[in-house]
Amino acid sequence: MTISKNKARIPVQKRSIETKEKILNAAWELFAEKGYFKTNTNELAERAGIATGSFYGYFNNKKEVGIELMMRFYKEVSKKALSNFYIQIGDNVAENLDTGRKLVRFIIKSLKESHAINPLLHKETTALILLDEDVRNISSEEDKKIIAFLITLLQQHKQLIRVDDIEAAAVLLFRTSDEIIHRIMIHKDAIDEDRLLKELEDMICSYLFITVS
Amino acid sequence: MTISKNKARIPVQKRSIETKEKILNAAWELFAEKGYFKTNTNELAERAGIATGSFYGYFNNKKEVGIELMMRFYKEVSKKALSNFYIQIGDNVAENLDTGRKLVRFIIKSLKESHAINPLLHKETTALILLDEDVRNISSEEDKKIIAFLITLLQQHKQLIRVDDIEAAAVLLFRTSDEIIHRIMIHKDAIDEDRLLKELEDMICSYLFITVS
Amino acid sequence: MTISKNKARIPVQKRSIETKEKILNAAWELFAEKGYFKTNTNELAERAGIATGSFYGYFNNKKEVGIELMMRFYKEVSKKALSNFYIQIGDNVAENLDTGRKLVRFIIKSLKESHAINPLLHKETTALILLDEDVRNISSEEDKKIIAFLITLLQQHKQLIRVDDIEAAAVLLFRTSDEIIHRIMIHKDAIDEDRLLKELEDMICSYLFITVS
Amino acid sequence: MTISKNKARIPVQKRSIETKEKILNAAWELFAEKGYFKTNTNELAERAGIATGSFYGYFNNKKEVGIELMMRFYKEVSKKALSNFYIQIGDNVAENLDTGRKLVRFIIKSLKESHAINPLLHKETTALILLDEDVRNISSEEDKKIIAFLITLLQQHKQLIRVDDIEAAAVLLFRTSDEIIHRIMIHKDAIDEDRLLKELEDMICSYLFITVS
DNA sequence: AATGAATGAGAATTCATTCAT
DNA sequence: TATGAATGAATTCTCATTCAT
């Protein structure tokens, strides 16, 4: 269903906003505990402390809750990464390799933090992206914003970067980091987290920056 | 449920093997067309041209079909990767940078081919890995084999490689390449396939090998 | 399965109570018409005039309906037996043989009435007791109450009774009467009902009471 | 289904008879272990060591196996009770009360032995009698034979017996004893077996025979 | 707005029996 | 006769969503 009937109200009143928040919090917990598909709307309502039917006053369907939760992760990336960037990197970017590594570390750290909020829920969201076209499209749009930001970032450090195709590099940088972090959080590959993240950082740096051998 | 009642027969007779094959082929098609979750066992049987009940003579449930298909992918990867390796790289590995790049290209190509077999089915499988613990565990074991193979490969080219932590590098190499290929096949990121793959190759090479600047 | 998920609601609202009653009435009819095993939950819902799914709002499964109906029989027996006892026997129990026979007649009559409510359903219940352990246990508990009541009754008429082992006598009395009545109601043994009941009464009296030869 | 297609062969050859026996033995075990309804024909065939389809060479359907097993119990009663009667009671029946009690004991003992062969299977059979009309009719016919025998028996001891309605007495005697034994074997009423059987014997004797008070 | 009972299509699974080999 | 794969109707139970109150 791509067309929504949109009967769910947009909450304005304080109590309404609170109710919506209660539902999202319930989903936050339950989707992490049992998974998106194994959680049903009755449980969701019950955990939120509302009646089954009331749920549909705030969301048109279950999927919408999944989407809203997914957006929280994106907001987290934005909030952490975008707004706080200059605070952490410094305004007058010192143009040297050290800054480059700092930059990469910062990106990895931001993504890691967004995954860390609720790793199991993040996993569910990832599955939903794979399984549902609507969700995938929304996620795709958000990804584009992140990538656009990364492009800007890389362009701001052009003098450090030896890669010509900045756009492709940004995509590569984002996908690669996100995947490795995801693996660490979810799949618990046999390998140690720190070792893997160190290599990730090294890989990206050796790729992006002009290294003095 | 990890314990199965295992009522499904293990086909020995020619007819049985054929029927099982018919089911797997039906699943192959349907999971790609409609997705794993949206396909039900009745459809599966119907597409296979057998009776509903017959399905349960060969598989205890839908998940088992999913697992069996996933295993086919892994076998495909192994087969492609292992058997063709020497043909492509050459038996007497010339110890120079060119060989290193050849190696990386080979790995990327192998993974790409495994994804290309049935991209949509591959996507479903990826989702299943995220959503089901049993599937995840099986997949995890198979991934280990691939990574083990990569470790061997990298160790055989030690003199080219500047990375110390070969294990972590192998994991990184596998995950990174797999994810990028997955993105290309499934999500159709705005970026052009060739550009992205070129950068991936560059990234891995600049990371792994001693580059003469 | 002895542990139930207990998703069935406990009806409080008037509408709920009515719906539950509708289901029980449907079961009452259908179990008698077609038998417990040959009735399925869809039919049950249909006869009750509700949707299939609604059934599961009130009972976790068919068995629970069977149990609930069985309990109704027991309640019926208790109600009939306990409340009408003094009306029929009289308050100041005349201590003579006549009272003894009255007592036995009363017991037989009470059991007979409970069977007469819905003989076919009673038969199904009896089968269920044999086939299902949970049902058997519940029935066993209820039987104990009846037997306990009979023990009290017999003890109140101790002076008439020549049997030493009152407990065993009560069990014997209950099982014997119940079985004979059951036979009469269900199996239609070739023999005439009145003749058999007369002999039953005689048998019990001659066993229990001091007869003046 | 009251009309049978009767495709099952009547085994004459030794091997055929053995196969049929294997099926019956498998059912004997399985119906006692899991119950008639919870045992399926595949299991039955497997336990018998034959192929699923072969089952239908010997029985037209599952019910027939139940019936044949039921008949075994009846044969047991006949064998034990009817043929061995004179051996145990003695040919020249001493016409005194002692013989009466012996008689009752003998009847109870015979019934008890038939129940004891395989109590759980006997329970299943009892349920089947309740649930299936065909089975009930066959059982009814067999019951009549037993009752007829009891009538003969009682008539042979007429001089001891004070009951007028011998027919009704025979039915009562059979049903009562059978039920109590059944209870003892299956339901494990709280009461001790010996106590209950003693009272049963007393009850029947005090009813049947002229007691010198 | 809130409630929670009702809906009903849909999914998984079973199993007595048949039938081609 | 034996085999065991195949059949497919039947059954139980779930759950997102609606709707009367």
Side-chain angles (χ1 to χ4, degrees):
Chain A
M1 202 211 302
T2 311
I3 300 144
S4 74
K5 277 169 276 170
N6 237 61
K7 283 189 301 186
R9 68 188 76 89
I10 297 136
V12 218
Q13 284 179 16
K14 199 188 154 204
R15 193 169 66 135
S16 268
I17 292 167
E18 276 170 8
T19 306
K20 185 159 187 179
E21 207 55 32
K22 277 197 281 179
I23 295 168
L24 285 167
N25 290 336
W28 181 270
E29 288 170 24
L30 281 169
F31 291 177
E33 281 170 28
K34 317 184 50 180
Y36 173 83
F37 290 99
K38 282 171 197 152
T39 301
N40 65 44
T41 47
N42 284 321
E43 269 176 299
L44 211 46
E46 197 185 3
R47 178 75 68 102
I50 59 165
T52 321
S54 305
F55 172 83
Y56 288 88
Y58 297 92
F59 294 93
N60 288 304
N61 50 51
K62 193 175 142 186
K63 201 164 82 181
E64 281 192 2
V65 183
I67 292 170
E68 287 235 17
L69 290 176
M70 179 177 74
M71 295 309 283
R72 287 199 175 185
F73 289 111
Y74 280 110
K75 283 209 187 89
E76 199 61 29
V77 182
S78 314
K79 207 179 64 188
K80 289 240 162 81
L82 307 191
S83 66
N84 300 348
F85 178 66
Y86 292 104
I87 301 163
Q88 299 191 35
I89 300 290
D91 206 15
N92 59 343
V93 179
E95 280 152 16
N96 54 31
L97 227 171
D98 196 44
T99 308
R101 185 164 287 270
K102 250 190 188 166
L103 183 70
V104 171
R105 272 188 194 154
F106 168 70
I107 291 164
I108 292 172
K109 192 177 157 245
S110 299
L111 288 170
K112 208 179 142 191
E113 277 172 358
S114 86
H115 281 260
I117 312 169
N118 190 337
L120 293 171
L121 177 53
H122 204 285
K123 181 191 70 183
E124 291 296 314
T125 297
T126 308
L128 216 49
I129 291 170
L130 285 165
L131 293 173
D132 188 281
E133 214 191 325
D134 292 340
V135 179
R136 187 156 61 247
N137 290 335
I138 294 169
S139 145
S140 205
E141 288 310 307
E142 295 302 312
D143 283 350
K144 274 180 198 154
K145 292 182 197 164
I146 295 174
I147 290 165
F149 171 70
L150 287 176
I151 291 171
T152 316
L153 221 57
L154 293 181
Q155 272 165 344
Q156 283 173 353
H157 299 75
K158 225 175 200 170
Q159 66 304 334
L160 293 173
I161 288 166
R162 61 169 185 178
V163 175
D164 294 323
D165 192 341
I166 297 280
E167 271 185 48
V171 172
L172 194 61
L173 175 51
F174 173 48
R175 294 297 175 210
T176 298
S177 307
D178 206 49
E179 165 66 8
I180 295 300
I181 289 158
H182 177 78
R183 284 281 150 184
I184 287 169
M185 304 307 273
I186 297 307
H187 294 258
K188 316 267 169 217
D189 272 329
I191 206 113
D192 176 68
E193 172 175 344
D194 291 331
R195 276 167 67 195
L196 197 53
L197 283 181
K198 184 200 162 293
E199 296 303 315
L200 173 66
E201 192 188 307
D202 280 358
M203 180 174 77
I204 294 169
C205 287
S206 66
Y207 163 64
L208 282 182
F209 307 123
I210 302 144
T211 33
V212 190
S213 70
Chain B
M1 203 210 304
T2 311
I3 299 145
S4 71
K5 276 172 277 170
N6 237 60
K7 281 184 300 189
R9 64 183 77 95
I10 297 135
V12 223
Q13 284 185 13
K14 199 188 151 206
R15 187 162 64 135
S16 265
I17 294 167
E18 277 169 14
T19 306
K20 185 159 189 180
E21 209 55 34
K22 278 197 277 179
I23 295 169
L24 284 167
N25 290 337
W28 182 273
E29 288 170 25
L30 280 168
F31 290 177
E33 280 171 29
K34 318 184 49 179
Y36 173 85
F37 289 98
K38 281 170 198 151
T39 301
N40 63 45
T41 49
N42 285 325
E43 278 175 296
L44 222 39
E46 198 183 1
R47 178 71 68 101
I50 58 164
T52 323
S54 303
F55 173 83
Y56 289 91
Y58 295 92
F59 296 94
N60 289 304
N61 48 53
K62 199 172 74 174
K63 197 166 92 179
E64 283 193 1
V65 183
I67 290 173
E68 196 122 343
L69 287 177
M70 183 175 73
M71 295 308 282
R72 292 203 167 190
F73 280 116
Y74 279 110
K75 279 203 190 101
E76 206 65 32
V77 182
S78 312
K79 211 176 61 188
K80 286 240 166 74
L82 300 181
S83 68
N84 300 347
F85 179 63
Y86 291 104
I87 300 164
Q88 300 191 36
I89 300 291
D91 208 16
N92 61 341
V93 179
E95 276 151 19
N96 54 31
L97 228 173
D98 197 45
T99 308
R101 186 163 287 268
K102 253 189 186 167
L103 185 69
V104 171
R105 272 185 195 156
F106 165 70
I107 290 163
I108 292 173
K109 192 176 160 244
S110 296
L111 289 170
K112 208 179 143 192
E113 277 172 356
S114 87
H115 281 261
I117 305 168
N118 190 339
L120 294 171
L121 180 49
H122 205 287
K123 180 191 72 185
E124 291 297 313
T125 299
T126 308
L128 212 49
I129 290 170
L130 286 165
L131 293 174
D132 188 282
E133 212 191 328
D134 292 340
V135 178
R136 185 154 62 248
N137 290 335
I138 293 169
S139 140
S140 202
E141 288 309 306
E142 295 302 313
D143 282 353
K144 274 180 197 155
K145 291 182 198 163
I146 296 175
I147 290 165
F149 171 70
L150 288 177
I151 291 172
T152 314
L153 223 55
L154 294 181
Q155 273 164 343
Q156 283 172 355
H157 298 76
K158 226 176 197 168
Q159 68 302 332
L160 295 173
I161 289 167
R162 62 166 186 182
V163 174
D164 294 323
D165 192 341
I166 296 281
E167 272 186 47
V171 172
L172 192 61
L173 176 51
F174 174 48
R175 295 296 175 209
T176 298
S177 307
D178 207 50
E179 165 66 9
I180 296 301
I181 290 158
H182 177 79
R183 283 283 149 184
I184 288 168
M185 304 306 273
I186 300 306
H187 293 258
K188 316 270 170 212
D189 270 332
I191 207 114
D192 177 69
E193 172 176 344
D194 291 330
R195 279 167 64 195
L196 197 52
L197 282 182
K198 185 199 161 294
E199 296 305 315
L200 173 65
E201 192 188 306
D202 281 357
M203 180 175 77
I204 294 169
C205 287
S206 66
Y207 162 63
L208 281 182
F209 307 123
I210 301 145
T211 34
V212 190
S213 71
Chain C
M1 202 211 302
T2 311
I3 299 144
S4 71
K5 276 171 276 171
N6 236 61
K7 281 184 302 189
R9 64 184 77 97
I10 297 134
V12 224
Q13 283 185 16
K14 200 190 152 205
R15 186 162 64 135
S16 266
I17 293 166
E18 277 169 13
T19 306
K20 186 159 190 182
E21 209 55 34
K22 278 196 277 178
I23 295 168
L24 285 167
N25 290 337
W28 182 272
E29 288 170 25
L30 280 168
F31 291 176
E33 280 171 29
K34 318 184 46 179
Y36 173 84
F37 289 97
K38 281 171 197 150
T39 302
N40 63 46
T41 48
N42 286 326
E43 279 174 297
L44 221 39
E46 198 183 1
R47 178 71 68 102
I50 58 164
T52 321
S54 303
F55 173 84
Y56 289 92
Y58 294 91
F59 297 93
N60 289 303
N61 47 54
K62 199 171 76 175
K63 199 166 92 178
E64 283 193 1
V65 183
I67 291 173
E68 196 122 344
L69 287 177
M70 182 175 75
M71 296 308 283
R72 292 203 167 189
F73 280 115
Y74 278 110
K75 281 205 189 97
E76 205 64 30
V77 182
S78 313
K79 210 177 61 189
K80 285 242 164 73
L82 301 182
S83 68
N84 299 347
F85 179 66
Y86 290 104
I87 300 163
Q88 300 192 36
I89 300 292
D91 206 16
N92 59 343
V93 179
E95 279 152 17
N96 54 31
L97 227 174
D98 198 43
T99 308
R101 186 163 286 268
K102 252 190 186 166
L103 185 69
V104 171
R105 272 183 194 159
F106 165 71
I107 290 163
I108 292 173
K109 193 176 159 245
S110 296
L111 288 171
K112 208 179 142 192
E113 277 172 356
S114 85
H115 282 259
I117 304 167
N118 189 338
L120 293 171
L121 179 50
H122 206 285
K123 179 191 71 183
E124 292 297 315
T125 299
T126 308
L128 212 50
I129 290 169
L130 285 165
L131 294 175
D132 188 282
E133 212 192 328
D134 292 339
V135 178
R136 185 154 62 250
N137 289 336
I138 294 170
S139 141
S140 202
E141 287 310 305
E142 294 303 311
D143 282 352
K144 274 180 196 154
K145 291 182 197 162
I146 297 176
I147 290 165
F149 170 71
L150 287 177
I151 291 172
T152 315
L153 223 56
L154 293 181
Q155 272 165 343
Q156 283 173 355
H157 298 77
K158 228 174 196 166
Q159 66 301 335
L160 293 173
I161 288 166
R162 61 165 186 185
V163 175
D164 295 322
D165 192 342
I166 296 282
E167 273 186 46
V171 172
L172 193 62
L173 174 50
F174 174 49
R175 294 297 175 208
T176 298
S177 308
D178 207 49
E179 166 67 8
I180 296 300
I181 289 158
H182 177 79
R183 285 282 149 185
I184 287 168
M185 305 305 274
I186 298 307
H187 293 257
K188 316 270 169 211
D189 272 330
I191 206 116
D192 177 70
E193 172 176 344
D194 291 332
R195 277 166 66 195
L196 196 53
L197 283 182
K198 185 199 163 292
E199 295 304 315
L200 173 66
E201 193 188 305
D202 280 357
M203 179 174 77
I204 294 169
C205 287
S206 66
Y207 161 64
L208 282 182
F209 307 123
I210 303 144
T211 34
V212 189
S213 70
Chain D
M1 202 211 304
T2 311
I3 299 143
S4 74
K5 276 169 277 169
N6 237 61
K7 282 187 301 185
R9 69 189 76 88
I10 296 133
V12 217
Q13 283 180 16
K14 200 189 155 203
R15 194 168 67 136
S16 268
I17 293 167
E18 276 170 7
T19 306
K20 185 160 188 180
E21 206 55 31
K22 277 197 281 179
I23 295 169
L24 285 167
N25 289 337
W28 181 270
E29 288 170 25
L30 281 169
F31 291 177
E33 281 170 28
K34 317 183 52 179
Y36 173 85
F37 290 99
K38 281 171 196 150
T39 301
N40 64 45
T41 48
N42 284 320
E43 269 176 300
L44 211 46
E46 198 184 4
R47 178 74 68 104
I50 59 164
T52 321
S54 305
F55 173 84
Y56 288 88
Y58 298 92
F59 295 92
N60 288 305
N61 50 53
K62 193 175 141 186
K63 202 165 83 181
E64 281 192 3
V65 183
I67 292 172
E68 287 233 17
L69 290 176
M70 179 178 75
M71 294 310 282
R72 288 197 174 187
F73 288 110
Y74 280 111
K75 282 206 188 93
E76 199 63 28
V77 181
S78 312
K79 207 178 64 189
K80 290 241 163 81
L82 307 191
S83 66
N84 299 348
F85 177 66
Y86 291 102
I87 301 163
Q88 299 192 36
I89 300 292
D91 207 15
N92 60 344
V93 178
E95 279 153 16
N96 54 30
L97 226 171
D98 197 43
T99 308
R101 186 163 285 268
K102 251 190 188 166
L103 184 69
V104 170
R105 272 185 195 158
F106 167 72
I107 291 163
I108 292 173
K109 192 175 158 248
S110 299
L111 288 171
K112 207 180 145 193
E113 277 172 359
S114 87
H115 281 259
I117 312 169
N118 190 338
L120 293 172
L121 177 53
H122 203 286
K123 181 191 70 184
E124 291 297 315
T125 297
T126 309
L128 215 49
I129 290 169
L130 285 165
L131 293 174
D132 188 281
E133 214 192 325
D134 293 341
V135 179
R136 186 155 61 249
N137 289 335
I138 294 170
S139 145
S140 204
E141 288 310 307
E142 295 301 313
D143 283 352
K144 274 179 196 154
K145 292 181 197 165
I146 295 175
I147 291 164
F149 170 72
L150 286 176
I151 290 172
T152 315
L153 221 57
L154 292 181
Q155 272 164 344
Q156 282 173 356
H157 297 78
K158 224 175 199 167
Q159 69 302 336
L160 293 173
I161 289 167
R162 60 166 187 183
V163 175
D164 295 323
D165 192 341
I166 297 281
E167 271 186 49
V171 172
L172 194 60
L173 174 50
F174 174 49
R175 294 297 174 210
T176 297
S177 307
D178 207 49
E179 165 67 8
I180 296 299
I181 290 158
H182 177 79
R183 284 281 148 185
I184 287 168
M185 303 307 272
I186 298 306
H187 294 257
K188 316 266 169 216
D189 271 330
I191 206 114
D192 177 68
E193 172 176 344
D194 291 331
R195 278 166 65 194
L196 196 53
L197 284 181
K198 186 201 162 288
E199 295 304 315
L200 173 66
E201 193 188 306
D202 280 358
M203 180 174 76
I204 293 169
C205 288
S206 67
Y207 162 64
L208 283 181
F209 308 123
I210 301 143
T211 34
V212 189
S213 69

